[in-house]
Amino acid sequence: MKKLLPALIVAICALPISTVQAASAAQKAQQEKMTACNKQAGDKQLKGDDRKTFMSDCLSANSTVATPKNSQQDKMKSCNKQAGDKKLKGDDRKAFMSDCLKG
């Protein structure tokens, strides 16, 4: 019984942590989608009901409207592959990656 109680306490304490991490990842994804939709609505100069309708459609779960075409993660992946193909190391790789990610 004395060994079971500490194990139970650890298990209970660990449960909310994984739930919080999953929620924060989902929240981050939703924030990124909201930012992208908001930018697109601004670019289209939508106002009032038109903006509300567009935002609703854009933010819906099955919408791909808000997906950025070349996100930072995609750039990083592409630049990293190019640097690997060129077999760059050290300072040369850092300089290449810096230039690649800017453009």
Side-chain angles (χ1 to χ4, degrees), residues 79-81 83-84 88-98:
C79 292
N80 197 31
K81 182 178 180 334
L88 297 175
K89 304 264 185 213
D91 290 338
D92 291 336
R93 185 182 184 89
K94 285 181 187 177
F96 172 80
M97 290 295 287
S98 178

Side-chain angles (χ1 to χ4, degrees), residues 33-60 63-66:
K33 196 170 189 180
M34 177 70 100
T35 301
C37 289
N38 200 32
K39 182 180 180 327
Q40 290 175 17
D43 291 347
K44 294 180 180 187
Q45 298 177 345
L46 297 175
K47 305 249 186 237
D49 289 338
D50 290 337
R51 185 181 186 92
K52 287 180 187 177
T53 302
F54 173 81
M55 290 295 288
S56 178
D57 292 343
C58 185
L59 293 171
S60 70
S63 174
T64 57
V65 174

